[in-house]
């Protein structure tokens, strides 16, 4: 199924697409030089919104699930990227321990785990699954809806190494975002590579830090291409010490929402955009689309109902929300079968390996789509994976549009590498 892009065939996105395609050698060289100085996250996924007048990342995940939504045609790219990533870190790697999230009843998530296991197996590694769940006392085998199985075993700590019974890995790959903090079993490991590093978890990571890093990357990229970085950068503010349950800190939130809406209105006026600005308020740490709401006017915050306050007060693993990021809302003008959609791009090491559209029939163009009821459609091509075609008119070629998505996703991935350098507890100096 090839997604139907309803974005207008004129306007900034097509101008941006044209400029990116014409600048491909410059862009790829720029990325290449960046990766000589900075280490990309081991793997990542980026949610992107295409408003027709603007194309920007709205979330970057460093523990991506959803690998099961990639098509079989995309898997060879993922396997090659996995080989490259492992060779850089541990060329002699033989055993890889994959640590998933604790929720073992989510079949879609477990199909993602099975897909990751398959990718690294094909990259030449013995892969076994070890759970952080203290309630798991013995191995369990789970049948998946697609006919496959996963076997999950309890983690074992021996001295300063972590592994499984009769399985000593040199590399530990986390697919658990550590929202509830770092369990002691993963601390102070000796001569084992832990990927991503512990400080990439949501117990440390802040979305506001990520988008501050991204803002710097977007400015440099804008200068490189001679374009306004706002076209690829969502403006944002930050507010700490908010308590939705008790209704405290709301003045700070209202002030920041109002200020950000004012900035967006100025940009809309500059570009002759007639859409009504909005912002997305979301927990500054956390994932799974929890703790997210759309605000169109600061006064709306005076009228939050109990259900909304409860939704915003707590995120994954029962973690309370005190810090929020207020992010410029980016509309999505993409559809699949008339349902609102947004692209999600997957990367391993510094390579784009595939992606899909997140689709939600019951959500609007200005709402969060990462919510119950969403479905997924591959970033499809009519004839398998294709390279961009510079001679085509903007908006006329699906591969060209996907190349543009990949550039934006890699900018977000580069920002994540800056972010991880800045928060590395072992770094002697911050970037």
């Amino acid at each position: 199924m090839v997604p139907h892009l309803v974005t207008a065939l004129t306007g900034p996105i097509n101008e941006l697409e044209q400029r990116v395609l014409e600048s491909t050698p410059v862009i790829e060289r720029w990325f290449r030089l960046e990766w000589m100085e900075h280490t990309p996250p081991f793997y990542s996924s980026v949610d992107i919104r295409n408003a027709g007048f603007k194309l920007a990342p709205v979330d970057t995940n460093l523990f991506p699930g959803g690998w099961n939504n990639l098509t079989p045609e995309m898997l060879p790219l993922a396997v090659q990227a996995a080989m490259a990533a492992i060779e850089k870190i541990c060329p002699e790697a033989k055993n890889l321990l994959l640590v998933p999230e604790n929720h073992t009843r989510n079949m879609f998530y477990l199909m993602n785990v099975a897909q990751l296991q398959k990718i690294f197996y094909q990259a030449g590694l013995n892969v076994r699954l070890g759970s952080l769940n203290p309630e798991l006392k013995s191995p369990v085998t789970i049948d998946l809806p697609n006919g496959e199985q996963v076997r999950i075993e309890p983690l074992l700590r021996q001295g300063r190494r972590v592994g499984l019974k009769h399985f000593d890995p040199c590399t530990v790959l986390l697919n658990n975002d550590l929202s509830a903090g770092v369990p002691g079993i993963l601390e102070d490991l000796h001569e084992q590579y832990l990927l991503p590093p512990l400080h990439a978890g949501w117990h440390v990571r802040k979305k506001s830090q990520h988008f501050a890093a991204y803002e710097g990357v977007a400015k440099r990229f804008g200068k490189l291409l001679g374009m306004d970085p706002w076209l690829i950068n969502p403006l944002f503010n930050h507010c700490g010490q908010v308590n939705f349950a008790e209704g405290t800190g709301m003045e700070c939130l209202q002030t920041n929402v109002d200020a950000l809406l004012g900035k967006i209105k100025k940009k809309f006026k500059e570009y002759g955009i007639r859409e009504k600005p909005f912002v997305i308020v979301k927990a500054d740490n956390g994932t799974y689309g929890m703790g997210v709401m759309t605000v169109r006017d600061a006064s709306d915050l005076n009228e939050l109902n109990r259900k909304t306050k409860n939704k915003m007060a707590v995120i994954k693993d029962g973690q309370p929300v005190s810090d929020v990021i207020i992010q410029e809302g980016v509309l999505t003008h993409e559809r699949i079968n008339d349902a609102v959609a947004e692209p999600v791009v997957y990367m391993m090491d510094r390579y784009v390996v595939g992606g899909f559209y997140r689709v939600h029939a019951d959500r609007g163009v200005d709402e969060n789509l990462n919510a119950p009821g969403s479905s997924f459609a591959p970033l499809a091509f009519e004839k398998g994976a294709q390279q961009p075609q510079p001679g085509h008119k903007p908006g006329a070629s699906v591969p060209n549009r996907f190349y543009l998505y990949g550039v934006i996703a890699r900018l977000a991935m580069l920002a994540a590498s800056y972010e991880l350098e800045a928060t590395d507890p072992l770094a002697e100096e911050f970037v």
Side-chain angles (χ1 to χ4, degrees):
M1 172 172 49
V2 177
H4 173 56
L5 308 182
V6 300
T7 310
L9 293 179
T10 58
I13 285 300
N14 288 291
E15 292 169 19
L16 175 62
E17 184 179 305
Q18 187 72 41
R19 188 164 297 185
V20 165
L21 290 170
E22 290 171 351
S23 307
T24 297
V26 173
I27 292 169
E28 295 304 328
R29 178 179 182 273
W30 183 78
F31 274 123
R32 190 164 62 246
L33 293 176
E34 287 291 327
W35 296 131
M36 290 174 68
E37 300 291 330
H38 305 282
T39 302
F42 186 80
Y43 57 2
S44 55
S45 68
V46 177
D47 297 355
I48 297 174
R49 302 275 285 206
N50 180 358
F53 55 84
K54 177 170 186 155
L55 181 73
V58 294
D59 228 340
T60 302
N61 190 352
L62 300 184
F63 300 85
W67 289 90
N68 52 305
N69 294 314
L70 303 189
T71 63
E73 291 79 12
M74 295 174 182
L75 291 187
L77 290 175
V79 171
Q80 285 183 319
M83 287 178 174
I86 290 292
E87 281 173 13
K88 281 199 314 190
I89 296 159
C90 184
E92 69 278 8
K94 179 181 178 183
N95 295 334
L96 180 132
L97 175 64
L98 178 57
V99 180
E101 294 282 359
N102 286 350
H103 47 67
T104 55
R105 294 178 183 174
N106 184 328
M107 289 298 158
F108 291 109
Y109 174 76
L110 291 175
M111 287 166 68
N112 148 76
V113 171
Q115 184 83 297
L116 274 173
Q117 190 171 18
K118 194 182 304 180
I119 288 169
F120 286 100
Y121 176 82
Q122 292 178 0
L125 294 164
N126 300 315
V127 187
R128 284 166 66 175
L129 308 178
S131 176
L132 289 167
N133 188 347
E135 296 176 8
L136 186 71
K137 304 298 184 183
S138 59
V140 58
T141 300
I142 302 168
D143 294 321
L144 302 179
N146 60 1
E148 297 180 2
Q149 291 183 326
V150 289
R151 177 181 166 87
I152 303 176
E153 303 173 64
L155 283 181
L156 296 176
R157 178 77 181 233
Q158 293 183 321
R160 292 179 60 192
R161 295 179 71 84
V162 68
L164 306 174
K165 189 175 182 180
H166 307 309
F167 188 76
D168 184 26
C170 85
T171 305
V172 180
L173 178 61
L174 296 176
N175 200 239
N176 182 312
D177 62 26
L178 305 177
S179 291
V182 179
I185 196 170
L186 294 179
E187 292 182 326
D188 301 319
L189 297 181
H190 179 63
E191 293 182 353
Q192 283 181 304
Y193 295 93
L194 186 63
L195 304 167
L198 292 177
H199 65 280
W202 282 121
H203 63 295
V204 170
R205 200 170 169 234
K206 301 288 185 185
K207 293 179 183 181
S208 53
Q209 290 176 332
H210 173 74
F211 281 100
Y214 181 82
E215 185 175 41
V217 169
K219 285 178 179 176
R220 290 175 51 224
F221 188 78
K223 188 175 181 181
L224 182 74
L225 266 62
M227 52 166 268
D228 182 354
W230 177 76
L231 294 172
I232 59 171
N233 178 42
L235 304 175
F236 75 95
N237 279 342
H238 170 259
C239 182
Q241 303 307 311
V242 179
N243 188 317
F244 287 97
E246 297 179 5
T248 57
M250 300 305 285
E251 301 85 358
C252 164
L253 186 56
Q254 285 180 309
T255 300
N256 280 284
V257 165
D258 203 43
L260 187 56
L261 284 170
K263 288 181 184 177
I264 301 167
K265 285 173 184 172
K266 285 183 181 177
K267 296 302 292 188
F268 278 21
K269 186 175 181 181
E270 178 184 338
Y271 281 92
I273 296 164
R274 297 178 182 175
E275 304 282 358
K276 182 174 173 59
F278 67 99
V279 298
I280 301 294
V281 177
K282 49 188 172 183
D284 203 17
N285 61 326
T287 184
Y288 285 84
M290 300 176 75
V292 180
M293 68 177 174
T294 301
V295 180
R296 298 170 184 84
D297 192 290
S299 63
D300 295 347
L301 295 168
N302 291 325
E303 302 167 7
L304 296 182
N305 59 35
R306 180 185 277 301
K307 182 178 178 183
T308 302
K309 288 180 179 178
N310 289 343
K311 183 185 80 169
M312 292 299 297
V314 177
I315 54 172
K316 182 172 173 263
D317 291 336
Q319 297 301 303
V321 174
S322 58
D323 285 4
V324 295
I325 180 173
I326 303 113
Q327 190 177 62
E328 175 186 356
V330 183
L331 298 166
T332 178
H333 277 317
E334 303 206 7
R335 304 282 190 283
I336 293 182
N337 296 334
D338 295 326
V340 176
E342 66 185 8
V344 185
V345 176
Y346 276 63
M347 292 162 290
M348 193 169 292
D349 195 57
R350 59 194 177 98
Y351 305 103
V352 174
V353 299
F356 53 80
Y357 276 95
R358 181 182 288 118
V359 187
H360 206 304
D362 298 324
R363 291 285 171 119
V365 296
D366 60 353
E367 292 184 291
N368 170 43
L369 304 188
N370 188 7
S374 62
S375 59
F376 308 97
L379 286 178
F381 298 99
E382 290 177 278
K383 298 178 181 177
Q386 298 175 2
Q387 292 298 308
Q389 298 159 354
H392 282 221
K393 291 181 181 179
S397 166
V398 174
N400 284 359
R401 183 56 51 85
F402 292 164
Y403 176 71
L404 179 59
Y405 291 161
V407 169
I408 299 300
R410 285 185 288 163
L411 292 175
M413 175 171 59
L414 180 59
S417 74
Y418 289 3
E419 176 196 354
L420 291 178
E421 288 171 9
T423 56
D424 186 351
L426 300 179
E428 294 184 357
E429 58 180 304
F430 286 1
V431 174

Coordinates of all heavy atoms in Angstrom, one line a residue, residues 261-298:
L261 N 2.9 30.3 21.9 CA 1.9 30.6 20.8 C 2.2 31.9 20.1 O 2.0 32.0 18.9 CB 0.5 30.6 21.5 CG 0.0 29.2 21.8 CD1 -1.3 29.3 22.7 CD2 -0.4 28.4 20.6
G262 N 2.7 32.9 20.9 CA 3.0 34.2 20.3 C 4.1 34.1 19.3 O 4.0 34.7 18.2
K263 N 5.2 33.3 19.6 CA 6.3 33.1 18.7 C 5.8 32.4 17.4 O 6.2 32.7 16.3 CB 7.4 32.2 19.3 CG 8.2 33.0 20.4 CD 9.2 32.0 20.9 CE 10.0 32.6 22.1 NZ 11.0 31.7 22.7
I264 N 4.9 31.4 17.6 CA 4.4 30.6 16.4 C 3.6 31.5 15.5 O 3.7 31.5 14.3 CB 3.6 29.4 16.9 CG1 4.5 28.5 17.7 CG2 3.1 28.6 15.7 CD1 3.6 27.4 18.5
K265 N 2.7 32.4 16.1 CA 1.9 33.3 15.4 C 2.7 34.2 14.5 O 2.4 34.5 13.3 CB 1.0 34.1 16.3 CG -0.2 33.3 16.9 CD -0.9 34.1 17.9 CE -2.0 33.3 18.6 NZ -2.6 34.0 19.7
K266 N 3.9 34.7 15.0 CA 4.8 35.6 14.3 C 5.3 34.8 13.0 O 5.4 35.4 11.9 CB 5.9 36.0 15.1 CG 5.5 37.1 16.1 CD 6.8 37.6 16.9 CE 6.4 38.7 17.9 NZ 7.5 39.1 18.7
K267 N 5.7 33.6 13.2 CA 6.2 32.8 12.1 C 5.1 32.5 11.1 O 5.4 32.6 9.9 CB 6.9 31.5 12.6 CG 8.1 31.6 13.4 CD 9.2 32.4 12.8 CE 9.8 31.7 11.6 NZ 11.1 32.4 11.1
F268 N 3.9 32.2 11.5 CA 2.8 32.0 10.6 C 2.5 33.2 9.8 O 2.3 33.2 8.6 CB 1.6 31.6 11.4 CG 1.5 30.1 11.8 CD1 2.7 29.3 11.8 CD2 0.3 29.5 12.1 CE1 2.7 28.0 12.2 CE2 0.3 28.1 12.5 CZ 1.5 27.4 12.5
K269 N 2.6 34.4 10.5 CA 2.3 35.6 9.7 C 3.4 35.9 8.7 O 3.1 36.3 7.6 CB 2.3 36.8 10.7 CG 1.9 38.1 10.1 CD 1.8 39.2 11.2 CE 1.3 40.5 10.5 NZ 1.2 41.6 11.6
E270 N 4.7 35.6 9.1 CA 5.8 35.8 8.2 C 5.6 34.9 6.9 O 6.0 35.4 5.8 CB 7.1 35.4 8.9 CG 8.4 35.5 8.0 CD 9.6 35.0 8.8 OE1 9.6 34.9 10.0 OE2 10.6 34.6 8.1
Y271 N 5.1 33.7 7.0 CA 4.9 32.8 5.9 C 3.5 32.8 5.3 O 3.3 32.0 4.4 CB 5.3 31.4 6.3 CG 6.8 31.2 6.4 CD1 7.5 31.4 7.5 CD2 7.5 30.8 5.2 CE1 8.9 31.2 7.6 CE2 8.9 30.6 5.3 CZ 9.6 30.8 6.4 OH 10.9 30.7 6.5
G272 N 2.7 33.7 5.8 CA 1.3 33.7 5.3 C 0.5 32.5 5.5 O -0.3 32.1 4.7
I273 N 0.8 31.8 6.7 CA 0.1 30.6 7.0 C -1.2 30.9 7.8 O -1.2 31.7 8.8 CB 1.0 29.7 7.9 CG1 2.2 29.3 7.0 CG2 0.2 28.5 8.4 CD1 3.3 28.7 7.9
R274 N -2.3 30.4 7.3 CA -3.6 30.8 7.9 C -4.1 29.8 9.0 O -5.2 29.9 9.5 CB -4.7 30.9 6.8 CG -4.4 32.1 5.9 CD -5.4 32.1 4.8 NE -5.0 33.2 3.8 CZ -5.7 33.5 2.7 NH1 -6.7 32.7 2.4 NH2 -5.3 34.5 1.9
E275 N -3.3 28.7 9.2 CA -3.7 27.7 10.2 C -3.7 28.4 11.6 O -3.0 29.3 11.9 CB -2.8 26.5 10.2 CG -2.7 25.9 8.9 CD -3.8 25.0 8.5 OE1 -4.7 24.8 9.4 OE2 -3.8 24.4 7.4
K276 N -4.5 27.8 12.6 CA -4.5 28.3 13.9 C -3.3 27.6 14.7 O -3.3 26.3 14.7 CB -5.8 28.0 14.6 CG -5.9 28.5 16.0 CD -7.3 28.3 16.6 CE -7.4 28.7 18.1 NZ -7.0 30.0 18.4
P277 N -2.4 28.3 15.3 CA -1.3 27.7 16.0 C -1.8 26.9 17.2 O -2.9 27.2 17.8 CB -0.5 28.9 16.5 CG -0.9 30.1 15.7 CD -2.3 29.8 15.3
F278 N -1.1 25.9 17.6 CA -1.4 25.1 18.8 C 0.0 24.6 19.4 O 1.0 24.6 18.7 CB -2.3 24.0 18.5 CG -1.8 22.9 17.6 CD1 -1.3 21.7 18.2 CD2 -1.8 23.0 16.3 CE1 -0.8 20.7 17.4 CE2 -1.3 22.0 15.4 CZ -0.8 20.9 16.0
V279 N -0.1 24.2 20.6 CA 1.1 23.6 21.2 C 0.8 22.2 21.8 O -0.4 21.9 22.0 CB 1.7 24.4 22.3 CG1 2.2 25.8 21.8 CG2 0.8 24.6 23.5
I280 N 1.8 21.4 21.9 CA 1.6 20.1 22.6 C 2.4 20.1 23.9 O 3.6 20.5 24.0 CB 2.2 18.9 21.7 CG1 1.5 18.9 20.3 CG2 2.1 17.6 22.4 CD1 0.1 18.5 20.4
V281 N 1.7 19.9 25.0 CA 2.3 19.8 26.3 C 2.5 18.3 26.6 O 1.5 17.5 26.5 CB 1.4 20.5 27.4 CG1 2.0 20.3 28.8 CG2 1.1 21.9 27.0
K282 N 3.7 18.0 27.0 CA 4.0 16.6 27.3 C 5.0 16.4 28.3 O 5.9 17.3 28.5 CB 4.3 15.8 26.0 CG 5.4 16.3 25.1 CD 5.5 15.5 23.8 CE 6.4 16.2 22.8 NZ 6.5 15.4 21.6
A283 N 5.0 15.3 29.0 CA 6.0 15.0 30.1 C 7.4 15.2 29.4 O 7.6 14.7 28.3 CB 5.8 13.6 30.6
D284 N 8.3 15.8 30.2 CA 9.6 16.1 29.7 C 10.5 14.8 29.6 O 11.5 14.7 28.9 CB 10.4 17.1 30.5 CG 11.5 17.8 29.8 OD1 11.5 17.7 28.5 OD2 12.3 18.4 30.4
N285 N 10.0 13.8 30.3 CA 10.7 12.5 30.2 C 9.5 11.5 30.0 O 8.4 11.7 30.5 CB 11.5 12.1 31.4 CG 10.7 12.0 32.7 OD1 9.7 12.8 32.8 ND2 11.0 11.2 33.6
G286 N 9.8 10.4 29.3 CA 8.8 9.4 29.1 C 8.4 9.1 27.7 O 8.8 9.8 26.8
T287 N 7.7 8.1 27.5 CA 7.4 7.5 26.2 C 6.0 6.9 26.1 O 5.2 7.2 27.0 CB 8.5 6.5 25.8 OG1 8.3 6.1 24.5 CG2 8.5 5.3 26.8
Y288 N 5.7 6.1 25.1 CA 4.5 5.4 24.9 C 3.3 6.4 24.7 O 2.2 6.0 25.0 CB 4.2 4.5 26.1 CG 5.0 3.2 26.1 CD1 6.3 3.2 26.6 CD2 4.6 2.1 25.5 CE1 7.1 2.1 26.5 CE2 5.3 0.9 25.4 CZ 6.6 0.9 25.9 OH 7.4 -0.2 25.9
G289 N 3.6 7.6 24.4 CA 2.5 8.6 24.1 C 1.7 9.0 25.4 O 0.6 9.5 25.3
M290 N 2.3 8.7 26.6 CA 1.6 9.0 27.8 C 2.0 10.5 28.3 O 3.0 10.9 28.0 CB 2.0 8.0 28.9 CG 1.6 6.6 28.5 SD 2.2 5.4 29.8 CE 1.0 5.7 31.1
G291 N 1.0 11.1 29.0 CA 1.3 12.5 29.5 C 1.4 13.5 28.4 O 2.3 14.3 28.3
V292 N 0.4 13.5 27.4 CA 0.4 14.4 26.2 C -0.9 15.0 26.1 O -1.9 14.3 26.2 CB 0.8 13.6 24.9 CG1 0.8 14.5 23.7 CG2 2.1 12.8 25.1
M293 N -0.9 16.3 25.8 CA -2.2 17.0 25.5 C -2.0 18.1 24.5 O -0.9 18.7 24.5 CB -2.9 17.5 26.7 CG -2.3 18.6 27.5 SD -3.3 19.1 28.9 CE -2.2 20.3 29.7
T294 N -3.0 18.5 23.7 CA -3.0 19.6 22.8 C -3.6 20.8 23.4 O -4.7 20.7 24.1 CB -3.8 19.2 21.5 OG1 -3.2 18.0 20.9 CG2 -3.8 20.3 20.5
V295 N -3.0 22.0 23.3 CA -3.5 23.2 23.9 C -3.5 24.3 22.8 O -2.5 24.5 22.1 CB -2.6 23.7 25.1 CG1 -3.2 25.0 25.6 CG2 -2.5 22.7 26.1
R296 N -4.7 24.9 22.5 CA -4.8 25.9 21.5 C -4.8 27.3 22.0 O -4.6 28.2 21.3 CB -6.1 25.6 20.7 CG -6.0 24.2 20.0 CD -7.4 23.8 19.4 NE -7.3 22.5 18.8 CZ -7.5 21.4 19.5 NH1 -7.7 21.4 20.8 NH2 -7.4 20.2 18.9
D297 N -5.1 27.4 23.3 CA -5.1 28.7 24.0 C -4.7 28.5 25.4 O -5.2 27.6 26.1 CB -6.5 29.4 23.8 CG -6.5 30.8 24.2 OD1 -6.3 31.1 25.5 OD2 -6.6 31.7 23.4
A298 N -3.9 29.5 26.0 CA -3.4 29.3 27.4 C -4.6 29.3 28.3 O -4.5 28.6 29.4 CB -2.5 30.5 27.7

